[in-house]
Structure formats: C-alpha cells, structure tokens
Amino acid sequence: MKKILMVGTGGTIASEMTEAGLVPELTGADFLKYVPAVRQLCQVDCLQVCNIDSTNMTPAHWRQVAQAIQLRYGGYDGFVVCHGTDTMGYTAAALSYLIQDSPKPIVLTGSQKPIHMDVTDSKTNLLDAFTVACDGRLPGVTVVFGGAVILGTRARKTRTKSFQAFSSINYPDLGVLRDGVLLRYIRQDCAATPVFYDALDTHVALLKLTPGADRALADFLLERNDALIIESFGVGGLPEAGGFYECIRRWMQAGKVIVLTTQVPSEGSDLGV
C-alpha cells in the first residue's frame, strides 16, 4: 500500500459549531473516523501543523507546511493537505513555488461544510484527494475539490457556498474524479527530485484599479513594499490620467518590481493592445 502523510491546517472541514460560529477543532486523525475508506486505499500518518480558520493563514504558515513536507518527503509516496477554502488558492500557489518539480503528489483539499454534518462535501473531497495522492500520475501541487483536479497555480475560489467552489483559471483541469476513479487529462512535468525553497518576500502589495483612481495609492504601497501588482481593466493598460505612467517609471528606476495584470478572471491580458 502507498504511504501518505495528511497535513492538517484547520478550516471549515475541521470545524465544530460554537457560540462564535464555526471554529476549527478537529484533527486529521478525527477525519479518518468519518472516512474509513481511506484506510483501504493507503497507510496514513497525520501531522497537525496548525488548526486555524484559513482567513488567518499567513506566509509563515505556508513555510511551515512546505518545511513539514520537506522534512518528511523521503518517507511518503504523497501528501494530502487539509485546508480551509477561503485562502486555499493562495496556499496552493505558494506551495507550487516553495516545492517545485515534485515527482510526488501534494494535494490540497477541504470542504464547504464541516465533516461532522450529515450533508457535507468533505467526505467525498477527502477520499478524492487521497485517491489522487495514491494514484501518483498527477505529480506536484494540485487542488482536488468538487471532483476536479486543478493545477496549484490556477485554482481560484469562485463560489462562496456551492460544493463546486473552485475553478481552474485560464487552464484546463488536470483531471476529474468520477465515482472514486481518476480520469487524468494532463500530466505536469516533474523532475526526479523536488527543489525546495524557504525564502519569501512578504513585502508585495496588490492594487485593484477603480475608475478615477490616481497614483497616490500606488506611491503609498510602493513606499512600503518591494513589489506591486496592479490589476488594471480589461485586456490591460493604465489610465492616461492620474499619473500612473510617471509613477511606474519612477519606482522602477528606484529598483522596485511592478507587475501589471488584469482584474478580469478569464483570457488574460495583452499590453500591446
């Protein structure tokens, strides 16, 4: 049997109802009591890195998860990371860069409803995640949710309540799961051994432009950060008014990194237009 490490971080899947609302309290070992079929797929060990609502996830937690996997990488055939849905896309993207070219699956999953509820997506998502981790044909970091296998750098939460919560942005699903069977569409390239990274620059800001905005917002963020991502309109480009062009020239000359993209989710940008 394959040997899989389940890394717990909290989230809705691990939550119990309290007077303050849903609070993460369950651990990975608790999950397995609700999904006994996992034990028939593989040998599972559980590691609890943290137990928090994913809105409280930080870059420091990303590094903890990556380091936990790095320290135990040689002892397992794959990894399942249980995570809250609100920031799962961010964590998947971060892990994709902190752990590159992994030949082993590193699968993130979670749920829209806690695992102890009668009506919940958690049991299916968890079993699907272990199926992908055991299968081994989809290496690297992925998100398994709602029957879809999504590349870690393309997963985005697009629905707040539906069980089909995640979409693959500008890239097809790597595969789907039907009745517990993985249908693989695309296999990502990987190396014989992974490359782990530890350093993260947390001084990166995001500015979503709104009509009538001026450069003061960009200046404010660039004074305090090493890089700025600007989400502009449509296919791309900046307003002629507002001083943005001079702002970008000034801060690039000062050594800052500025990335221009679009706030439209699909089809990307083309600054030449």
Side-chain angles (χ1 to χ4, degrees), residues 55-148:
T55 56
N56 297 317
M57 192 66 61
T58 67
H61 292 109
W62 299 338
R63 294 175 63 186
Q64 287 177 4
V65 173
Q67 288 167 359
I69 293 173
Q70 180 178 9
L71 289 173
R72 297 160 180 83
Y73 193 85
Y76 294 91
D77 299 299
F79 304 85
V80 172
V81 180
C82 294
H83 198 288
T85 59
D86 286 348
T87 60
M88 188 188 298
Y90 288 91
T91 299
L95 291 179
S96 297
Y97 293 107
L98 289 170
I99 309 172
Q100 297 186 27
D101 293 324
S102 171
K104 299 179 181 180
I106 301 169
V107 184
L108 283 82
T109 195
S111 66
Q112 295 283 66
K113 298 289 184 182
I115 199 167
H116 64 82
M117 288 187 171
D118 293 333
V119 179
T120 176
D121 54 333
S122 58
K123 298 169 187 175
T124 299
N125 286 345
L126 199 59
L127 187 57
D128 285 349
F130 274 97
T131 298
V132 173
C134 291
D135 182 278
R137 291 181 296 153
L138 290 174
V141 179
T142 59
V143 169
V144 171
F145 208 99

Side-chain angles (χ1 to χ4, degrees), residues 176-247:
V176 296
L177 291 117
R178 296 286 183 264
D179 298 322
V181 177
L182 173 62
L183 304 177
R184 187 191 72 178
Y185 297 151
I186 302 172
R187 186 184 192 277
Q188 291 300 113
D189 293 334
C190 64
T193 56
V195 180
F196 288 91
Y197 294 88
D198 183 60
L200 277 177
D201 187 348
T202 59
H203 294 92
V204 178
L206 172 66
L207 172 61
K208 177 174 292 206
L209 290 189
T210 56
D214 61 35
R215 64 172 290 178
L217 293 170
D219 285 324
F220 177 85
L221 293 171
L222 284 163
E223 286 172 0
R224 292 159 175 79
N225 293 279
D226 299 321
L228 176 65
I229 301 168
I230 301 177
E231 288 188 0
S232 189
F233 314 109
V235 77
L238 291 167
E240 293 183 8
F244 283 104
Y245 288 96
E246 178 55 35
C247 171

Side-chain angles (χ1 to χ4, degrees), residues 35-72:
V35 194
V38 168
R39 295 286 191 187
Q40 300 172 13
L41 281 177
C42 57
Q43 178 184 340
V44 184
D45 290 333
C46 300
L47 174 68
Q48 199 70 31
V49 172
C50 57
N51 209 357
I52 59 175
D53 188 290
S54 72
T55 56
N56 297 317
M57 192 66 61
T58 67
H61 292 109
W62 299 338
R63 294 175 63 186
Q64 287 177 4
V65 173
Q67 288 167 359
I69 293 173
Q70 180 178 9
L71 289 173
R72 297 160 180 83

